[in-house]
Amino acid sequence: MRKISITKYLAYFFLVTSCVVWVFPVLFGFFTSFKAQGDIMTVGFSMLPANWVIQNYISVLTNTSSAPIVQWFLNSLVISGSHTFLVVLIVSLAAFGYTRIDFKGKETLFFTILALSMFPAVVNIIPSYKIVEALGWVNSPLAVIVPGLGGVGNVFLVRQFMLGIPKEFDESARMDGASDFTIYFKIILPLVKPVLIVTGLFSFIGSWNDFLWPTIVLNDVNKLTITAGLQLLQDLYGGYAMTGELMASAIIAMIPTVLLFLFAQKYFIESMNLNAGVKG
C-alpha cells in the first residue's frame, strides 16, 4: 500500500482550510441573496434559504435612482475594458523601448522607476488626486482609467519576456527595410502575446475590484463603479439593513471576474510559469 508522507497531509490540510476560508463567505453570500429579508432578520444562522426568492435581484436591478446597479455595472465594464486595453498598449511599447532601443541611461532610468514603484500606493493618493483635480478629471472616467496605466511591475514582466527574444529577428527585419514600429507591431507583439494576455487579465481584475480610488475621485452616483457604489447600500448608521439586496449586488459584481477566470484558466496558470521564469 502506497504511503502518503506527513508533508502531503499537511499540504492537503492547509489547502482544504484555505479553500474553506475563501469559499464559505462566497457561498453564504450567494445563498443569502436568495433569502427573503424577513427570514434574514428573524431566523438565526442558516446557510440555505427557507424559501428561495429572487426579489432581492429584482429590487437591485430595477433600482435606477439611489443605487443604479446596472449603470454601475456598465461603468465598470467601460472603465476596466479601456484601462486594460491601454495598459497592454503602453506596457508593450515601454518594454519594447527598454529592450530594443538604445539610449543613454536606459538601465539607470528603468531601475530608478522600478525602485520608486516600491513605495506603498497609498503614499501617492493625495498627489495623484491633486494631479487629477488640476486636469479637471474629478468625477470623470479618465480619473479612474489613466492613473496606473504605466504600472512598472507590468513593464518589468513584459520587458523580461522580451529580453528572451533574439535580436537577430530585429536585425533581419531591418535588413528588409522594417522600421522600429513595424518590428514592434509585426514581430515582437505576436511573440509576447502570452505575457500580454496575462498582463491584461490581471489589469482588468485589478481595475474591476478597485474600491478606494474610484470612491475618492467619483462623486456622482450615476458615474460610480460597481465596487465603489456598493457602499451606498448601507443605511444612515453605517449598517446594512437590506442584507439580501447587498448580497445580490455583490454576487452581480462578481460575475465578470468569475467568468473571466473560468474562460481564461490556462492563462492564469501560464502566468505562474511566466513569473517563475522571469530573469533578474
Side-chain angles (χ1 to χ4, degrees), residues 43 70 116 148 154 168 195 209 246 250 262:
V43 179
V70 176
L116 291 174
N154 289 329
E168 284 76 10
V195 72
N209 291 333
L246 175 65
L262 291 177

Side-chain angles (χ1 to χ4, degrees), residues 227-247:
T227 48
L230 290 180
Q231 62 180 321
L232 297 184
L233 296 175
Q234 63 183 358
D235 57 28
L236 294 175
Y237 303 101
Y240 294 97
M242 303 304 291
T243 309
E245 292 184 11
L246 175 65
M247 291 296 107

Side-chain angles (χ1 to χ4, degrees), residues 11 47 62 74 83 96 106 131 135 138 152 161 164 180 185 202 210-211 226 232 238 256 258 266 275:
M47 190 69 177
T62 56
L74 294 175
H83 179 80
F96 180 81
K106 179 174 66 175
I131 294 172
L135 293 171
V138 173
V152 184
F161 199 88
D180 285 336
F185 190 72
F202 283 106
D210 191 11
F211 169 76
I226 194 165
L232 297 184
V258 172
K266 68 174 185 179
N275 285 318

Side-chain angles (χ1 to χ4, degrees), residues 64-123:
T64 58
S65 55
S66 60
I69 292 289
V70 176
Q71 183 62 51
W72 294 345
F73 191 91
L74 294 175
N75 293 344
S76 289
L77 273 183
V78 171
I79 289 173
S80 300
S82 305
H83 179 80
T84 301
F85 173 76
L86 291 173
V87 163
V88 170
L89 177 64
I90 291 173
V91 163
S92 60
L93 283 170
F96 180 81
Y98 280 120
T99 56
R100 256 48 191 186
I101 298 175
D102 293 325
F103 57 91
K104 189 176 181 181
K106 179 174 66 175
E107 297 299 319
T108 304
L109 175 64
F110 176 72
F111 284 104
T112 300
I113 296 175
L114 184 63
L116 291 174
S117 71
M118 299 301 172
F119 290 106
V122 69
V123 173

Side-chain angles (χ1 to χ4, degrees), residues 102-217:
D102 293 325
F103 57 91
K104 189 176 181 181
K106 179 174 66 175
E107 297 299 319
T108 304
L109 175 64
F110 176 72
F111 284 104
T112 300
I113 296 175
L114 184 63
L116 291 174
S117 71
M118 299 301 172
F119 290 106
V122 69
V123 173
N124 297 322
I125 285 182
I126 294 178
S128 297
Y129 182 83
K130 288 295 183 184
I131 294 172
V132 166
E133 186 181 37
L135 293 171
W137 289 353
V138 173
N139 226 16
S140 145
L142 289 174
V144 189
I145 294 172
V146 175
L149 285 181
V152 184
N154 289 329
V155 176
F156 177 76
L157 182 65
V158 179
R159 172 185 175 272
Q160 298 306 104
F161 199 88
M162 282 188 185
L163 285 174
I165 300 174
K167 291 194 175 181
E168 284 76 10
F169 291 171
D170 306 35
E171 294 166 1
S172 299
R174 282 199 175 86
M175 291 177 66
D176 292 336
S179 63
D180 285 336
F181 182 76
T182 303
I183 294 171
Y184 159 77
F185 190 72
K186 292 189 175 180
I187 297 176
I188 301 298
L189 212 53
L191 292 175
V192 297
K193 182 181 172 184
V195 72
L196 291 181
I197 291 175
V198 171
T199 302
L201 289 173
F202 283 106
S203 296
F204 183 89
I205 293 174
S207 177
W208 185 274
N209 291 333
D210 191 11
F211 169 76
L212 181 60
W213 183 245
T215 303
I216 294 172
V217 296

Side-chain angles (χ1 to χ4, degrees), residues 28-38 40-41 53-70 72 226 229-235 239-254:
F28 182 75
F30 176 77
F31 290 128
T32 303
S33 69
F34 288 100
K35 294 178 182 176
Q37 186 60 27
I40 296 173
M41 301 300 292
V53 297
I54 59 171
Q55 186 57 43
N56 295 319
Y57 286 93
I58 295 175
S59 297
V60 298
L61 291 175
T62 56
N63 186 340
T64 58
S65 55
S66 60
I69 292 289
V70 176
W72 294 345
I226 194 165
L230 290 180
Q231 62 180 321
L232 297 184
L233 296 175
Q234 63 183 358
D235 57 28
Y240 294 97
M242 303 304 291
T243 309
E245 292 184 11
L246 175 65
M247 291 296 107
S249 303
I251 294 299
I252 292 172
M254 290 171 54

